Each structure stands twice: as structure tokens, then as C-alpha cells.
């Protein structure tokens, strides 16, 4: 835990404390929202390969870097994962989309990185091991907003990967296709009247 | 024979996304929301000869769209594209959004409201408008229409059987469940919309019944505000959405009616009332309950394949009543890769290792029963600046305490049924090899963001009762206390949570209340 966090967080998290941290979280997200513009694109690449639906190019690039560390299963493609997250977010509220963009800005923001972890390098420019250390700092933080922020990005990236068929053989998961071709079309099926009618048909 | 496809293509079905101009409709009764509450009411009103307009924000998806693929279905069938959470992001909220509402995506578990819960409402929440016996014929009618029946032990998949067997060995109360299915192929994809229409959801029963009886349905239509004229609601205004429900088309709708039924479900119904300036002195939105859930995963030598078979078919209510402590009940949860990946702990290689074990992993859940203790008051729905709902729900110390206790009981049941290893779903999981270690579970980090908590049962926010000082609608017909032509018929009227999966409670109450309203004039 960083020295800043030790001043912010109490040993036990009461409801009042959570609310205070929530407010602090709002301020943090504002910082994140402004942070992306402060830095040039990283050397890491990660440009989108299709039009974006919810994210902007800078946030997408940070997300690609995060996804590369979150999802290390065989066959994982960080750019494809980030596009999946972008698509999923397109169904979310505008407020949620904005929060995620700001959250990604906070991940990248060097000022935030310095305040929390005493690092000045943006996330996308860190080495993989340093990126893992940054993730670990968010994951184990005493600040609710950092832990839930980490969880949001973690879940979005993992779900984006594991809804893809390419991830399923590793899990021995193979859902059937075309079940719906045999869907029942009669809204009455299963009622006592329907069963009685079926029995009459069979009996006649 | 009637045909779902023919009904879906009927002239009474209007796609809001396809409208080239603003839409204006008029009816005797306008019902906002097509889930368990609204669909049952619509069927009864339409068959009683009333003209009915149904409004639905979600899409009118059918079995043709239900591909058993999460990517195709979850963003479309769940509120906020399955990203809804509580305000502090402590609880993930799974709630349906489609014609048929949550009934399209639920796991088919069907319970009548426990009689002791209704007694509690009578005694503690001034619910005097109906006796438990009044509900019985309505449950029976629903059970016939939806083919609700108890499943035999032999049909339990391994995920549910391990829970059942573990509870039995420990001497705990446990039973197989009743489900609203007929001709079920046990494909296991209830959560993604039934691909074969075996699930008797509102989508394939009461909605077609209502449409067949002349009701009209406008979908991709988000109700923004109820407008008053004098002491009554005159109209509802709203926004038409594009085909994916992601943005407004620029067109709007207006529905005038003699009576309005709000059936958007807990969270959305209170939000509509709040947007309409109807806060009932701060009562609307308060006492929103979630049945908050934690899970436990267990590794077995035998294959579990938790995605196959009926997702839920066994439950234990052994710990439902715990005096001053929060009660909970135990059920099983299916694992689809996307959903499972978000519950599985960690990231990187440790997460990938966890996922590779899914085929041998059973997941059982403890579902907290909130609303029956003064220090479990539920959450409050408020409005975001955009008007969308925002639920502030605190996980209280009593709830965390119950979660710790429940986590131990889940582990006990899993070991009793032969689990080799039990893992909590904490971000840093407690891994128990062969036996329960209560101290290790106590020592885990029980805080928001350290352990996943989710809800699939949303209740309350517009409580019924006969005292306007503590309730929003009266309990005899769910009519608003001060607005004579406004009713709320959905899970938001429950004064507490239920202690059981809620769908049949909503069906039964809606059937009773809509029958009373239809007979009243």
C-alpha cells in the first residue's frame, strides 16, 4: 500500500468510509478523464482495426495494453479483446461508457501512477512485469474505487475473450448450434388443455 | 393451432426502431413493461375486453435469436448490456431487458411466495388487501398455463446433484425444484433465452395471449415520464430506440389511456415514478432488495459440465431463518464461459488455470434474504443526471457476517458431496483441500471489490401496504395511494425480499390484482 493510500483508507471499511471513497473515486475518474490527453501515443501500438462504438482511440490503446496482461490464455488477441469490450460497452449507459474511458485514462495517467505507486511512466509504456505490478496495486488497493476499477476492466476483458468460440476448446466447451431450428411454435404447449388435445389426437 | 411466428408478425406489434414518425396511441389500459407483472396483467385485461397497449424498452427477440452464444445474446437481453451494478459497483445486477422481461433469461425456478412471508407483510407492513388463500387459485392458474412442475431427482445435472447430495448427507433440508418448462431438451441455455421455446416465459405465453386478444405492443420504446392532468395520469411520453436499443432514433411516442400500469420491475419502475415527480414523500425507490449472492466453486474428480442440463433444479432453505442473523438459501449456478470468467478470480495465468478446470467444477451459491431485519434495509433507487436509474445499496456488516457463515456452509455441502477441493471466489481465493477451514474463510478479505457479489432477484422500491406513510400503492389492487388511475404491478411492490426466486410470486400477485382490476369496472 502506498503512503497516500494509507492516509486515505481506514483499517476497516465502514459504510461512511466507502461513501467517502466513492466521492474520492469520482475525483479520481475526473483526473483520469483529463489524463489521456497529456501523453503521446505509446510505442506499443494497439490501434483499432474497425470503427469504435464506445471508446476513443486513446482509451482503446490503453485497453489493449491492459487486456494483454489480464488475458494470457492461449490464443488471446488483445486488440480483438478490446474490440469486444468496445462492443459490449456500446450497450451500456452513456455514463458507464464515460466512466470506463476515464478509468482507462487513470490507468495511463502518470500523475495518478506517481500518487499511488510512485511511478511516472504511463501504463502503456511500462514493461510487462511493471504493468503486472500496476495491476496488482489496483487489485489489492485499500481504495474501493481502485479495486472496483480493476474489477471492471478485468471482467470486461475476460468476458470479451471467453465469449469467443476460439477460447472454448481449451475449456472443453462446445455448445450446440442450430437448436432453435426445432423450436416449438405453439404458445399453448404444456397446458392441461393442450396435453388433453394431444392425447385425443393420438387416440383417434 | 396458434403460431408464435404469426403472432409476432401481427399488425398489433409495432417496432419502435422502424417508425418514421412519432407514434401516438390510445387505449383503455397502458402497461409499461412486459415482464412477469406486465405480461400477466396484459393477458387478463385484453381477454376481459379492454383495449391494451404494452410498452417495452427492450427488443422483441425470439427463439430464432437465441443462439446459445453469450456474445449474441447477453448484451441484448440484459439491462445496460449486462453492465448494470450498484452505485459503488459492489454488486453486479443481472436483470432482463426484452419483450418478456427477465422471464426470458431466468433459470426457470418457480416458487410460490412462502406463506410466512405474506404473514410477515400482514403483520409488519400493513398489507391487508389479500389473504394468502386469495393467492392460491391464481398460482394454480399460472402453474397450469406455464406448465410448472417439480423435476425428479434423476433429471438433476451434476452441478445441482452435488448440492442436493451434500445437503442430504449433512441432514439439511433440500428439495428438487419446480420449473416452468415443457419439452425441455436440457440444453442448459435458459440464461441466454431458450432456443427451443421449452421455457414457458412470458415471451411465449402471456404476451402471445394478450396480442391474440387484441393488445398492441410497441417495443424499443423507453417510457420517460408519466404526465398528469388534474389528479390523474393523462399520458406517458417516451423515446423510440434503434434496433439494438443503443441510442434514440429521434422519434418519440405518446400513449393516452384511462388507466396506467407500471410494470418495469424493481429499479426501473421506481425510476419512472421518480422521473414523473411521484416520489411519495421519499418512499419511492427506498427499500429495494436484491437477494445478494455469493458463490463457492468445488473441484470434483467426476465431470460436472455445469453448462449442461437444467441450470437450477435443487435448493436448500435450511438456513433461511436464522433469527437475528440474515438468512440465506442455497442453489446452483450454471457456468457459461463469459459469465464464468468474470466470477473466476484473478487474471493472467492463474485465471486461465482456473478456467481450464471448469468442466470438473461445480458452483453453488448462497442467496441472502434481505429486508426482514431493521439493519438490512435494502437500497435506494435514485436518478442519474440522464434520468437513468442508479441503485445505492450498502452491503452491511450483518450481510458480510452472513456471507462468511454461508461460505462455510457451501464448503461443507461441497465436501460432503465428494469435492476434492473447494475455492471461494475471492480475488485471492481461499483454497480448501479436502476439509473446511473456517479460520481461513474468516481471514479472507470480505470487502467490495475483493469478492464478487451479484443479484438476479430485484424486489421492492414501490412497496404495497395500506398505510400511505410507509407504502406507495395500496395492497387491495396495487393502486397508487393518491392517483386513482395508476397502478404498479411487478416485483417492486414487495415490502421485503421473498426468500425464494421471485418469478412465480410476481405472476401470482399480478394475476390476482389484474383480475380484481378487470372486474372492478
Amino acid at each position: 500500500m502506498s503512503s497516500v493510500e494509507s492516509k486515505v483508507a481506514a483499517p476497516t471499511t465502514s459504510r461512511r468510509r466507502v461513501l467517502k471513497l466513492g466521492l474520492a473515486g469520482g475525483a479520481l475518474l475526473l483526473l483520469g478523464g483529463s489524463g489521456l490527453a497529456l501523453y503521446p501515443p505509446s510505442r506499443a501500438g494497439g490501434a483499432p482495426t474497425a470503427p469504435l462504438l464506445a471508446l476513443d482511440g486513446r482509451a482503446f490503446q490503453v485497453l489493449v495494453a491492459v487486456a494483454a496482461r489480464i488475458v494470457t490464455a492461449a490464443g488471446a488477441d488483445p486488440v480483438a479483446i478490446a474490440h469486444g469490450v468496445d462492443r459490449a460497452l456500446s450497450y451500456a449507459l452513456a455514463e458507464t461508457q464515460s466512466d470506463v474511458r476515464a478509468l482507462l485514462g487513470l490507468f495511463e495517467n502518470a500523475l495518478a501512477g506517481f500518487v499511488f505507486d510512485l511511478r511516472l511512466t504511463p501504463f502503456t509504456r511500462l514493461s510487462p512485469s511493471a504493468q503486472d505490478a500496476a495491476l496488482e496495486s489496483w487489485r489489492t488497493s485499500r481504495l474501493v474505487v481502485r479495486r472496483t476499477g480493476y474489477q471492471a476492466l478485468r471482467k470486461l476483458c475476460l468476458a470479451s475473450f471467453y465469449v469467443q468460440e476460439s477460447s472454448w476448446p481449451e475449456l472443453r466447451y462446445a455448445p450446440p448450434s442450430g437448436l432453435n431450428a426445432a423450436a416449438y411454435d405453439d404458445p399453448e404447449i404444456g397446458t392441461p388443455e393442450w396435453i388433453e388435445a394431444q392425447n385425443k389426437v393420438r387416440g383417434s | 393451432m396458434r403460431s408464435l411466428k404469426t403472432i409476432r408478425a401481427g399488425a398489433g406489434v409495432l417496432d419502435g426502431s422502424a417508425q418514421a414518425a412519432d407514434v401516438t396511441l390510445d387505449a383503455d389500459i397502458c402497461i409499461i413493461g412486459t415482464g412477469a407483472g406486465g405480461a400477466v396483467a396484459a393477458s387478463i385485461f385484453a381477454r376481459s375486453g379492454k383495449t391494451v397497449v404494452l410498452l417495452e424498452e427492450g427488443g422483441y427477440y425470439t427463439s430464432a435469436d437465441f443462439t446459445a452464444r453469450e456474445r449474441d445474446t447477453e448484451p441484448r437481453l440484459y439491462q445496460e448490456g449486462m453492465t448494470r451494478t450498484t452505485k459503488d459497483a459492489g454488486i453486479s445486477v443481472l436483470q432482463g431487458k426484452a419483450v418478456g422481461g427477465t422471464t426470458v433469461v431466468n433459470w426457470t425456478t418457480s416458487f410460490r411466495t412462502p406463506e410466512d412471508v405474506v404473514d410477515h407483510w400482514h403483520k409488519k407492513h400493513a398489507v391487508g388487501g389479500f389473504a394468502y388463500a386469495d393467492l392460491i387459485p391464481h398460482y394454480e392458474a399460472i402453474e397450469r398455463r406455464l406448465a410448472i412442475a417439480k423435476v425428479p431427482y434423476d433429471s438433476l445435472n451434476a452441478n445441482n446433484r452435488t448440492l442436493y447430495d451434500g445437503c442430504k448427507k449433512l441432514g439439511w433440508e433440500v428439495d428438487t425444484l419446480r420449473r416452468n418448462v415443457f419439452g425441455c431438451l436440457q440444453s442448459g441455455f435458459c440464461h441466454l433465452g431458450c432456443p427451443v421455446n421449452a421455457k414457458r416465459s412470458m415471451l411465449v405465453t402471456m404476451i402471445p395471449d394478450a396480442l391474440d386478444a387484441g393488445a398492441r405492443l410497441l417495443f424499443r420504446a423507453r417510457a420517460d415520464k408519466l404526465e398528469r392532468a388534474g389528479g390523474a395520469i393523462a399520458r406517458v411520453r417516451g423515446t423510440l430506440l434503434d434496433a439494438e436499443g443503443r441510442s434514440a432514433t429521434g422519434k418519440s411516442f405518446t400513449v393516452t389511456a384511462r388507466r396506467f400500469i407500471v410494470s418495469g420491475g424493481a429499479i426501473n419502475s421506481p425510476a419512472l415514478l421518480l422521473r414523473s415527480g411521484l416520489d411519495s414523500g421519499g418512499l419511492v425507490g427506498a427499500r429495494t432488495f436484491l437477494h445478494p449472492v455469493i458463490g463457492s466453486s468445488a473441484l470434483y474428480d467426476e465431470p460436472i459440465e455445469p453448462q449442461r442440463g437444467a441450470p437450477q433444479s435443487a435448493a436448500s432453505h435450511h438456513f433461511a431463518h436464522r433469527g437475528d442473523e440474515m438468512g440465506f438459501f442455497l442453489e446452483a449456478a450454471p457456468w457459461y464461459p463469459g459469465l464464468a470468467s468474470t466470477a473466476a478470480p484473478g487474471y493472467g495465468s492463474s485465471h486461465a488455470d482456473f478456467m481450464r478446470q471448469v468442466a470438473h467444477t461445480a458452483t453453488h451459491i448462497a442467496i441472502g434474504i434481505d429486508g426482514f431485519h431493521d439493519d438490512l434495509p435494502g437500497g435506494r433507487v435514485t436518478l442519474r443526471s440522464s434520468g437513468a436509474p442508479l441503485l445505492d445499496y450498502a452491503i452491511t456488516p450483518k450481510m458480510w457476517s452472513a456471507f462468511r457463515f454461508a461460505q462455510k456452509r457451501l464448503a461443507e455441502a461441497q465436501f460432503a458431496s465428494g469435492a476434492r477441493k473447494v475455492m471461494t471466489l475471492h480475488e485471492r481465493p481461499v483454497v480448501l483441500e479436502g476439509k473446511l477451514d473456517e479460520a481461513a474463510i474468516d481471514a479472507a478479505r470480505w470487502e467490495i471489490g475483493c469478492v464478487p457479489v451479484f443479484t438476479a432477484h430485484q424486489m421492492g422500491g414501490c412497496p404495497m401496504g395500506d398505510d400511505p406513510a410507509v407504502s406507495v400503492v395500496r395492497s387491495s389492487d396495487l393502486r397508487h395511494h393518491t392517483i386513482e388511475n395508476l397502478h404498479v404491478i411487478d416485483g417492486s411492490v414487495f415490502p421485503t425480499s421473498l426468500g425464494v426466486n421471485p418469478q412465480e410470486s410476481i405472476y401470482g400477485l399480478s394475476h390476482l390484482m389484474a383480475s380484481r382490476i378487470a372486474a372492478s369496472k
Side-chain angles (χ1 to χ4, degrees):
Chain A
M1 184 172 63
S2 73
S3 59
V4 171
E5 282 198 19
S6 67
K7 291 174 185 168
V8 174
T12 57
T13 307
S14 67
R15 174 65 176 160
R16 179 182 290 268
R17 173 64 60 185
V18 168
L19 286 173
K20 282 182 179 174
L21 296 180
L23 292 173
L28 286 174
L29 290 178
L30 281 175
L31 176 64
S34 65
L36 277 178
L38 300 178
Y39 298 95
S42 77
R43 300 157 295 179
T49 56
L52 295 175
L53 302 169
L55 298 173
D56 55 46
R58 301 295 301 282
F60 185 89
Q61 191 177 38
V62 180
L63 181 60
V64 170
V66 171
R69 303 314 307 154
I70 295 282
V71 190
T72 58
D77 173 355
V79 173
I81 290 169
H83 272 299
V85 172
D86 179 58
R87 176 180 178 271
L89 284 173
S90 72
Y91 291 89
L93 294 176
E95 291 95 330
T96 303
Q97 296 177 20
S98 174
D99 283 350
V100 172
R101 287 193 297 268
L103 177 63
L104 288 163
L106 202 55
F107 252 84
E108 181 72 341
N109 189 298
L111 177 58
F114 180 77
V115 168
F116 291 127
D117 301 326
L118 301 178
R119 67 168 166 86
L120 278 167
T121 309
F123 186 84
T124 55
R125 291 174 171 261
L126 294 173
S127 68
S129 61
Q131 287 178 330
D132 285 350
L135 279 172
E136 198 64 20
S137 174
W138 280 73
R139 177 194 195 198
T140 59
S141 173
R142 300 293 298 269
L143 294 178
V144 172
V145 69
R146 291 190 85 203
R147 295 199 304 272
T148 55
Y150 155 80
Q151 288 292 345
L153 295 182
R154 187 188 79 90
K155 291 176 181 179
L156 285 165
C157 290
L158 289 166
S160 171
F161 174 67
Y162 281 104
V163 300
Q164 298 296 333
E165 299 197 12
S166 58
S167 71
W168 297 344
E170 186 89 349
L171 312 180
R172 285 172 281 165
Y173 178 78
S177 296
L179 279 175
N180 45 15
Y184 306 111
D185 191 43
D186 182 349
E188 295 291 339
I189 65 162
T191 63
E193 297 79 12
W194 182 88
I195 293 170
E196 186 181 343
Q198 295 296 307
N199 289 337
K200 279 183 183 172
V201 169
R202 288 199 192 97
S204 62
Chain B
M1 183 187 97
R2 296 191 296 157
S3 159
L4 290 171
K5 287 176 187 159
T6 305
I7 294 169
R8 169 72 175 82
V13 177
L14 299 173
D15 180 351
S17 73
Q19 302 303 308
D22 294 346
V23 174
T24 302
L25 298 168
D26 179 72
D28 293 327
I29 299 176
C30 175
I31 300 175
I32 302 157
T34 63
V40 170
S43 169
I44 289 171
F45 292 141
R47 288 182 163 188
S48 73
K50 308 285 187 193
T51 58
V52 174
V53 166
L54 275 158
L55 298 173
E56 171 57 51
E57 180 176 5
Y60 194 162
Y61 297 105
T62 70
S63 58
D65 304 298
F66 302 152
T67 58
R69 266 59 178 173
E70 290 176 280
R71 186 178 188 276
D72 296 338
T73 50
E74 284 175 346
R76 296 186 171 107
L77 296 177
Y78 287 84
Q79 293 287 340
E80 300 176 29
M82 217 172 171
T83 67
R84 179 171 277 186
T85 70
T86 51
K87 184 177 182 180
D88 60 13
I91 303 178
S92 299
V93 179
L94 300 179
Q95 190 172 21
K97 186 177 87 170
V99 172
T102 301
T103 75
V104 176
V105 292
N106 71 18
W107 299 344
T108 74
T109 301
S110 302
F111 282 101
R112 296 181 182 185
T113 310
E115 189 167 359
D116 65 328
V117 170
V118 176
D119 285 346
H120 178 85
W121 295 345
H122 289 158
K123 291 172 186 165
K124 302 286 187 185
H125 296 275
V127 174
F130 58 92
Y132 189 75
D134 296 334
L135 289 164
I136 300 299
H138 299 278
Y139 288 141
E140 291 171 347
I142 287 294
E143 287 159 6
R144 286 193 299 273
R145 180 68 189 90
L146 304 187
I148 292 173
K150 195 163 186 272
V151 300
Y153 174 82
D154 290 347
S155 73
L156 268 55
N157 68 3
N159 203 31
N160 283 273
R161 182 173 43 74
T162 46
L163 174 67
Y164 185 99
D165 290 349
C167 292
K168 273 287 181 196
K169 281 192 179 172
L170 293 165
W172 299 349
E173 181 278 336
V174 66
D175 205 352
T176 64
L177 294 174
R178 299 186 314 149
R179 304 180 64 218
N180 59 320
V181 299
F182 186 82
C184 176
L185 301 185
Q186 304 283 318
S187 66
F189 296 103
C190 305
H191 167 85
L192 306 177
C194 180
V196 294
N197 292 334
K199 185 203 292 187
R200 311 315 291 149
S201 71
M202 296 298 95
L203 176 67
V204 295
T205 56
M206 297 299 196
I207 298 284
D209 289 354
L211 295 172
D212 240 6
R216 287 167 292 168
L217 165 65
L218 176 63
F219 65 97
R220 287 296 182 214
R222 183 181 63 219
D224 293 328
K225 191 174 183 183
L226 299 161
E227 292 184 351
R228 275 184 281 187
I233 302 298
R235 67 191 68 83
V236 57
R237 292 191 192 275
T239 303
L240 299 179
L241 304 172
D242 67 17
E244 291 286 329
R246 293 192 277 212
S247 54
T249 64
K251 303 293 184 261
S252 63
F253 70 86
T254 304
V255 181
T256 53
R258 265 56 74 202
R259 196 187 294 271
F260 291 84
I261 312 290
V262 174
S263 301
I267 301 179
N268 288 343
S269 283
L272 175 59
L273 295 187
L274 291 173
R275 287 196 298 272
S276 307
L278 301 169
D279 73 346
S280 295
L283 293 171
V284 170
R287 293 188 63 79
T288 295
F289 303 106
L290 296 179
H291 276 172
V293 174
I294 61 156
S296 179
S297 283
L299 199 61
Y300 291 80
D301 289 330
E302 62 172 310
I304 299 295
E305 295 190 307
Q307 80 279 11
R308 291 187 193 277
Q312 274 184 342
S313 48
S316 169
H317 282 74
H318 191 79
F319 298 100
H321 299 93
R322 299 179 62 227
D324 287 341
E325 299 298 325
M326 185 177 81
F328 57 89
F329 53 111
L330 308 179
E331 292 183 343
W335 278 51
Y336 312 99
L339 188 67
S341 71
T342 64
Y347 65 95
S349 58
S350 67
H351 184 276
D353 291 344
F354 192 104
M355 290 298 288
R356 275 192 290 272
Q357 299 177 332
V358 161
H360 283 260
T361 301
T363 301
H364 303 132
I365 54 178
I367 305 169
I369 301 172
D370 47 349
F372 291 89
H373 301 76
D374 290 342
D375 45 359
L376 293 172
R380 174 180 285 279
V381 175
T382 59
L383 298 178
R384 298 171 187 266
S385 57
S386 66
L390 178 62
L391 173 60
D392 188 3
Y393 186 104
I395 302 178
T396 63
K398 183 184 284 287
M399 203 169 281
W400 286 122
S401 171
F403 286 161
R404 279 192 289 272
F405 180 81
Q407 192 84 61
K408 298 168 190 171
R409 304 294 78 79
L410 285 167
E412 279 186 312
Q414 291 171 324
F415 282 130
S417 61
R420 175 157 47 91
K421 186 161 77 172
V422 169
M423 295 154 284
T424 72
L425 298 178
H426 286 80
E427 184 59 28
R428 287 193 165 152
V430 178
V431 180
L432 305 171
E433 302 274 0
K435 64 178 177 141
L436 174 63
D437 180 348
E438 297 210 7
I441 290 175
D442 283 334
R445 199 168 169 188
W446 291 92
E447 296 177 63
I448 291 168
C450 297
V451 59
V453 182
F454 74 90
T455 168
H457 305 162
Q458 298 82 36
M459 298 151 283
C462 300
M464 61 179 159
D466 302 327
D467 180 359
V470 295
S471 60
V472 175
V473 296
R474 63 190 194 187
S475 64
S476 57
D477 59 0
L478 305 185
R479 200 206 77 186
H480 192 273
H481 279 303
T482 58
I483 300 176
E484 291 192 0
N485 71 337
L486 176 63
H487 301 251
V488 180
I489 303 182
D490 59 24
S492 73
V493 303
F494 297 137
T496 64
S497 75
L498 298 167
V500 294
N501 307 54
Q503 70 163 335
E504 189 176 349
S505 290
I506 303 171
Y507 298 145
L509 190 65
S510 177
H511 203 276
L512 167 65
M513 295 303 176
S515 298
R516 285 182 175 179
I517 295 165
S520 66
K521 285 182 184 175

